[in-house]
Amino acid sequence: MRRPKSKKFKLQNRLSEVKEIELLESWIASGKPDSGSNPLSLPPPPKGAPIGRLPDGSFSPYAGSDKFSQLPLSKRTKDGLADGKYSKMTDIQRASLPHSLCGRDILGAAKTGSGKTLAFVIPVLEKLYKARWGPEDGVGCIIMSPTRELAGQLFEVLKSVGKHHGFSAGLLIGGRKDVDAEKERVNELNILVCTPGRLLQHMDETPNFECSQLQVLVLDEADRILDVGFKKELNAIISQLPKHRQTLLFSATQTKSVQDLARLSLKDPEYLSVHEESATATPNRLEQTAMVVPLDQKLDMLWSFIKAHLNSRILVFLSSCKQVRFVFETFKKLRPGIPLKCLHGRMNQERRMGIYAQFCEKRSVLFSTDVASRGLDFNKAVDWVVQVDCPEDVASYIHRVGRTARYLSGGRSILFLTPSETKMLEKLQEKKIPIRFIKANTKRVQPVSGLLAALLVKYPNLQYLAQRAFITYLRSIHKQRDKEIFEVTKLPIDEFAASLGLPMTPKVRFLKQKVKGKKVPEGSTPVPESNSDENASKLVGGSLATGRPEKAELKLDEGLATGRPEKAELELDGDFLQEKEAQHVEEATDIRVDVPATRVLKKKKLKINVHRPVGTRVVFDDEGNTLPPLAQLADTKTGSDSFYLDKEKVNQRYAELREEMRVADKVDKALDRQRRKEKRIKQKLKWKRGRDEEEGDVESEDDISASDGEATTGKRNKKAKVYFDSDSDDGERKNVQDNAVSVTSAITLAEQEELALKLLSSMHS
Ligand SMILES: Nc1ncnc2c1ncn2[C@@H]1O[C@H](COP(=O)(O)OP(=O)(O)OP(=O)(O)O)[C@@H](O)[C@H]1O
């Protein structure tokens, strides 16, 4: 047990702290770098030069130093850094720390993986230490991050480097259930690491929660937090913070917008973009490639890529949660030979954290949305970043590829671009991104669409997921701002639907509106104008079949456009294939499938798919083309080449099939019952005949046999068995008396009686 420290010891400690703080303040004041200068341009102090207070009472210069030990930092912080094996500073640390230690506002920009976290964690610790911040002083610093995972990671760095300090720190992020416990303790915390939403929740709900004494505000991934997505939350937060504070903003893609900076009331911020002069905007050890992959071949390409890199740690970016879930669920079933994981914003927080931690530890493939694109430092060991869906802009690209090649390690990335997205390549190259264009080796591509189609037949839930993936992808393209790159009408949507294994192309209203009056891309199913209203009414009919009123449908559609509430998201979290039926209805609503027009299949050579799972039924049309399941139920409308699936007809056909099966089942069971009954009667008769013969022969022995028989029967009657009567149609449990015991035991008894009687009669004679 540690002995409590004596008053004297505490006093001495306090005195030495005061002395250290005085020294640090004088040291900092003596060597402040010029405002607007970049300390990186100054030469580092020569080897072996004295550090700190010099014999003449002056201090060693710290601007330009390249080691943490040369900076005016407290012993506690230096010890924390030494424990973390941090000794040499990175460029952004060298450039920003001399300014931030003086209390200046910072706008820091540096490549991904270049150590921006320490560039703000160190000044935070130092500022509070020099202010002798204690538990009674409340919140002294807020570090904000756009995502929960990143906040968690920042919190870990803070804990590790600040472990010798006595500050209390807390991680405040959404998706955690212990918000009430948090509310009780949040007022005692000195440093808050948080996401904007959770912080605002505390500001709104927690009694007495206030940040009026705030010393430092940090925004990591500042451009993202200042983005429209967080605008409301951030404005509300800022309005509750004191204006007199130090503000540190860091990102790999920094904002320079005057408006943004005005919102944060920055005072003469130091703009430190250490890699602005660099030849590339991305890490030097990052090898970047791009290739053109038609939309309908993306999954084939991804599958082939994974199969070719089974010993790597691969991070795959897709544009929506639904796509992530679809690719994860289907690829998991196809067993590529490497563990697969998925991460997206609609998972509950514990699972998100768990998956993040697992991916850091072993080789696997992580399918993710952009929730993992910023800031995360997967143990510096992501081998490949694969961008299956094109990032929305250059900044997003930089952050995604930045999950690999961190600090001193190398990494590789590949970007799939559809033929209509190739403009992105130019934009990337314009922004100093050295990306190499390569051609796919088509010989090594392993097609997976056929397998997906078979999976969708086997697991109907996957069909819903595929439809949702299809719709959300198109919606994401539709919503993109950069129309030079993203144009939904240029996409081969039918082929895309087929590539997901969908038997028919779901129709989306926004797409229909878009296509109306526009040139329809080659190969896609045109939306017949004359039938569009009819289609719409059929949609309502189809929806009603699932018991949904039209109004609810519209509401859900709005929900889809604005994103679902978090609660509903959590419920979707379990194993997809375990989801409740009710959920399917909801999912079906979500995807807003118009009357699905069966895809007009291109004429193809008849091929035997050797990979097709045994038992999968393949239907061919008159010309030998394979038809998707249900396609034979499609009607061809006169005057149009398209097929239309009559929902009523499908339902009717299903009902007929069900009825046929029910009748056949009943007949089978009746036959089986009859067969068993006959067999039983036969056995009974046989047994009775044998007994009558014996009774006729040896009447005198009746007592004995009867008593024997009685004893046996008595015993049997006592133990009335309970068992499941499989003959019973309704399958109910029945009490069956012993005279119904199995045939085999009846024979044995008969034989035994016969034997006993024979024995007795031989004794009498
Ligand atoms: N001075 C240093 N010495 C050794 N390693 C360092 C140093 N600074 C940072 N690192 C390591 O470099 C890695 C990347 O650091 P960090 O996560 O801070 O990068 P970042 O610039 O914030 O990246 P991003 O822009 O992606 O958020 C981390 O693993 C961190 O531990």
Side-chain angles (χ1 to χ4, degrees):
M1 217 175 90
R2 270 169 78 178
R3 284 172 58 191
K5 285 169 185 162
S6 68
K7 266 188 181 174
K8 199 175 158 196
F9 177 83
K10 281 184 187 166
L11 187 70
Q12 269 178 357
N13 218 12
R14 232 175 293 148
L15 283 174
S16 67
E17 266 178 29
V18 171
K19 269 192 186 164
E20 188 188 25
I21 291 167
E22 275 172 11
L23 181 133
L24 289 174
E25 277 171 347
S26 317
W27 188 2
I28 289 169
S30 74
K32 280 185 180 178
D34 292 339
S35 199
S37 70
N38 186 346
L40 204 53
S41 59
L42 300 171
K47 241 183 172 181
I51 293 164
R53 200 195 292 271
L54 303 177
D56 62 357
S58 65
F59 291 91
S60 61
Y62 58 89
S65 3
D66 60 353
K67 292 200 180 76
F68 290 115
S69 58
Q70 296 161 346
L71 290 178
L73 300 178
S74 62
K75 185 173 176 311
R76 289 171 191 244
T77 302
K78 280 186 178 166
D79 288 349
L81 288 167
D83 291 350
K85 308 227 167 2
Y86 300 113
S87 60
K88 246 185 141 220
M89 285 189 273
T90 63
D91 286 354
I92 184 68
Q93 292 157 4
R94 280 186 69 189
S96 67
L97 283 172
H99 286 291
S100 55
L101 289 172
C102 303
R104 292 175 184 160
D105 287 352
I106 303 283
L107 254 175
K111 291 180 186 181
T112 52
S114 60
K116 292 184 286 293
T117 312
L118 283 185
F120 57 77
V121 164
I122 294 171
V124 162
L125 292 170
E126 288 301 292
K127 177 102 179 179
L128 297 188
Y129 178 70
K130 283 181 279 177
R132 300 189 56 74
W133 210 257
E136 63 288 348
D137 295 313
V139 180
C141 169
I142 293 174
I143 300 176
M144 245 189 274
S145 136
T147 66
R148 300 166 186 176
E149 284 76 15
L150 180 55
Q153 187 181 290
L154 300 179
F155 187 62
E156 290 306 314
V157 177
L158 177 76
K159 277 200 305 187
S160 139
V161 178
K163 66 181 177 193
H164 297 288
H165 284 279
F167 309 123
S168 54
L171 176 65
L172 310 181
I173 53 174
R176 283 156 46 127
K177 294 185 190 103
D178 49 357
V179 69
D180 290 332
E182 247 178 51
K183 282 178 183 172
E184 278 169 27
R185 299 209 47 205
V186 72
N187 283 326
E188 299 159 19
L189 300 175
N190 298 143
I191 304 173
L192 307 181
V193 182
C194 54
T195 48
R198 189 60 150 221
L199 177 64
L200 194 59
Q201 187 182 357
H202 280 292
M203 286 179 159
D204 289 345
E205 295 174 6
T206 308
N208 307 325
F209 177 71
E210 56 146 333
C211 307
S212 58
Q213 299 303 310
L214 191 82
Q215 303 291 301
V216 195
L217 171 68
V218 179
L219 305 191
D220 191 17
E221 306 298 339
D223 58 328
R224 178 76 189 92
I225 298 182
L226 288 160
D227 198 25
V228 276
F230 287 108
K231 192 171 179 176
K232 269 190 196 163
E233 278 122 319
L234 191 69
N235 287 351
I237 291 168
I238 297 290
S239 69
Q240 300 195 39
L241 301 181
K243 281 214 163 83
H244 184 75
R245 57 158 200 266
Q246 184 178 13
T247 308
L248 309 174
L249 311 182
F250 283 88
S251 181
T253 48
Q254 191 57 279
T255 177
K256 285 182 220 166
S257 147
V258 179
Q259 250 182 342
D260 284 342
L261 307 182
R263 277 164 74 201
L264 291 170
S265 345
L266 295 192
K267 293 174 297 296
D268 308 322
E270 299 295 331
Y271 180 63
L272 297 156
S273 178
V274 293
H275 300 125
E276 211 162 41
E277 303 306 313
S278 164
T280 62
T282 43
N284 297 339
R285 289 181 179 79
L286 176 60
E287 198 186 304
Q288 303 168 72
T289 44
M291 62 173 150
V292 171
V293 184
L295 183 59
D296 54 318
Q297 287 168 28
K298 274 187 180 180
L299 292 186
D300 295 341
M301 194 59 80
L302 176 62
W303 175 258
S304 314
F305 182 89
I306 292 173
K307 293 289 283 178
H309 297 88
L310 293 179
N311 284 320
S312 308
R313 198 177 312 197
I314 307 167
L315 180 56
V316 178
F317 284 106
L318 293 141
S319 61
S320 72
C321 301
K322 276 119 190 175
Q323 277 171 287
V324 165
R325 286 180 63 204
F326 173 71
V327 177
F328 169 68
E329 293 290 348
T330 49
F331 278 23
K332 197 170 70 173
K333 297 227 167 338
L334 298 175
R335 298 170 186 267
I338 179 170
L340 304 181
K341 305 188 186 324
C342 76
L343 189 77
H344 55 77
R346 298 197 165 191
M347 298 170 87
N348 74 44
Q349 195 47 37
E350 269 168 38
R351 260 184 83 188
R352 267 166 74 166
M353 288 295 203
I355 283 163
Y356 166 67
Q358 284 166 20
F359 184 63
C360 286
E361 264 156 36
K362 52 181 180 203
R363 80 177 171 104
S364 51
V365 180
L366 178 65
F367 301 105
S368 179
T369 56
D370 274 333
V371 76
S373 69
R374 280 185 178 250
L376 295 187
D377 188 52
F378 298 100
N379 255 358
K380 300 177 199 160
V382 173
D383 302 300
W384 277 98
V385 170
V386 182
Q387 303 191 52
V388 174
D389 292 333
C390 184
E392 61 174 324
D393 51 25
V394 176
S396 173
Y397 173 90
I398 291 176
H399 286 282
R400 281 177 173 189
V401 292
R403 296 319 99 211
T404 184
R406 298 184 66 74
Y407 190 51
L408 300 177
S409 44
R412 284 186 281 181
S413 74
I414 186 152
L415 168 67
F416 295 175
L417 294 170
T418 63
S420 57
E421 289 166 352
T422 44
K423 184 100 182 119
M424 184 65 165
L425 205 61
E426 280 171 42
K427 298 206 172 191
L428 293 172
Q429 282 160 348
E430 274 166 24
K431 296 277 170 162
K432 298 198 295 185
I433 291 168
I435 186 164
R436 201 160 44 86
F437 183 76
I438 55 167
K439 274 195 174 166
N441 182 355
T442 42
K443 278 184 204 152
R444 292 188 63 192
V445 173
Q446 300 179 28
V448 81
S449 309
L451 300 178
L452 294 182
L455 274 182
L456 262 56
V457 171
K458 199 170 171 196
Y459 302 100
N461 287 349
L462 287 180
Q463 259 197 45
Y464 287 110
L465 199 48
Q467 285 172 332
R468 294 175 72 194
F470 172 85
I471 303 266
T472 52
Y473 175 77
L474 294 181
R475 189 177 282 281
S476 74
I477 298 293
H478 175 60
K479 279 184 164 181
Q480 294 286 359
R481 271 171 287 179
D482 192 342
K483 293 297 169 207
E484 264 190 311
I485 299 173
F486 303 102
E487 186 46 76
V488 76
T489 54
K490 286 186 185 160
L491 300 175
I493 56 165
D494 292 337
E495 284 82 351
F496 175 44
S499 75
L500 301 181
L502 279 168
M504 55 203 89
T505 308
K507 283 231 172 87
V508 201
R509 278 197 182 155
F510 68 82
L511 190 59
K512 212 182 335 175
Q513 283 157 10
K514 189 122 189 140
V515 173
K516 255 187 194 180
K518 281 203 177 184
K519 194 174 164 263
V520 180
E522 219 183 314
S524 69
T525 310
V527 181
E529 296 280 329
S530 55
N531 286 328
S532 56
D533 286 344
E534 199 185 328
N535 287 348
S537 63
K538 276 187 182 174
L539 160 68
V540 176
S543 306
L544 286 175
T546 61
R548 284 178 288 107
E550 198 175 342
K551 213 170 167 190
E553 208 184 307
L554 293 170
K555 226 174 159 185
L556 277 161
D557 192 39
E558 282 160 21
L560 178 70
T562 53
R564 291 235 201 123
E566 184 110 41
K567 211 169 168 198
E569 289 162 16
L570 296 181
E571 282 166 12
L572 286 169
D573 228 2
D575 184 354
F576 175 72
L577 295 171
Q578 304 290 318
E579 281 172 21
K580 288 168 268 165
E581 198 59 37
Q583 210 168 303
H584 301 161
V585 177
E586 196 204 320
E587 288 183 358
T589 342
D590 199 15
I591 54 177
R592 292 190 57 75
V593 180
D594 283 29
V595 170
T598 309
R599 193 169 357 94
V600 181
L601 295 170
K602 279 186 182 168
K603 282 188 186 176
K604 278 184 191 161
K605 277 185 191 165
L606 188 61
K607 269 192 205 165
I608 296 171
N609 182 0
V610 287
H611 302 295
R612 182 166 54 82
V614 180
T616 315
R617 193 165 165 233
V618 177
V619 182
F620 296 93
D621 66 6
D622 295 342
E623 292 167 42
N625 294 319
T626 52
L627 285 179
L630 297 182
Q632 65 269 41
L633 288 173
D635 279 346
T636 313
K637 301 270 169 184
T638 39
S640 162
D641 284 344
S642 308
F643 289 99
Y644 290 92
L645 201 64
D646 189 331
K647 197 97 184 170
E648 263 178 37
K649 210 172 166 187
V650 172
N651 287 341
Q652 196 186 333
R653 179 71 191 126
Y654 278 150
E656 280 169 17
L657 283 172
R658 270 197 299 274
E659 183 55 25
E660 273 173 29
M661 278 173 71
R662 204 179 62 77
V663 171
D665 190 46
K666 216 170 174 182
V667 172
D668 277 356
K669 279 184 177 166
L671 273 173
D672 188 48
R673 234 187 347 257
Q674 182 67 21
R675 200 174 42 80
R676 284 173 185 238
K677 206 171 172 183
E678 278 171 10
K679 203 173 170 187
R680 249 192 330 256
I681 291 169
K682 230 174 166 180
Q683 295 293 350
K684 265 188 192 170
L685 281 174
K686 198 175 162 191
W687 176 72
K688 219 173 168 188
R689 229 181 290 130
R691 204 176 136 141
D692 287 349
E693 276 170 19
E694 291 302 323
E695 276 172 0
D697 285 351
V698 212
E699 253 179 86
S700 55
E701 303 304 324
D702 195 52
D703 283 352
I704 305 165
S705 64
S707 67
D708 252 1
E710 241 174 51
T712 333
T713 319
K715 238 186 223 171
R716 276 186 255 146
N717 280 343
K718 253 191 232 166
K719 269 194 169 182
K721 284 192 180 173
V722 179
Y723 65 93
F724 195 82
D725 185 2
S726 60
D727 277 358
S728 154
D729 252 355
D730 53 7
E732 73 189 32
R733 284 162 76 93
K734 286 185 177 174
N735 281 328
V736 184
Q737 294 302 314
D738 209 17
N739 56 3
V741 288
S742 68
V743 176
T744 34
S745 65
I747 295 166
T748 323
L749 277 169
E751 281 169 357
Q752 279 175 358
E753 277 178 20
E754 198 177 350
L755 254 171
L757 286 169
K758 273 184 187 166
L759 214 79
L760 280 168
S761 60
S762 66
M763 278 169 67
H764 282 282
S765 64

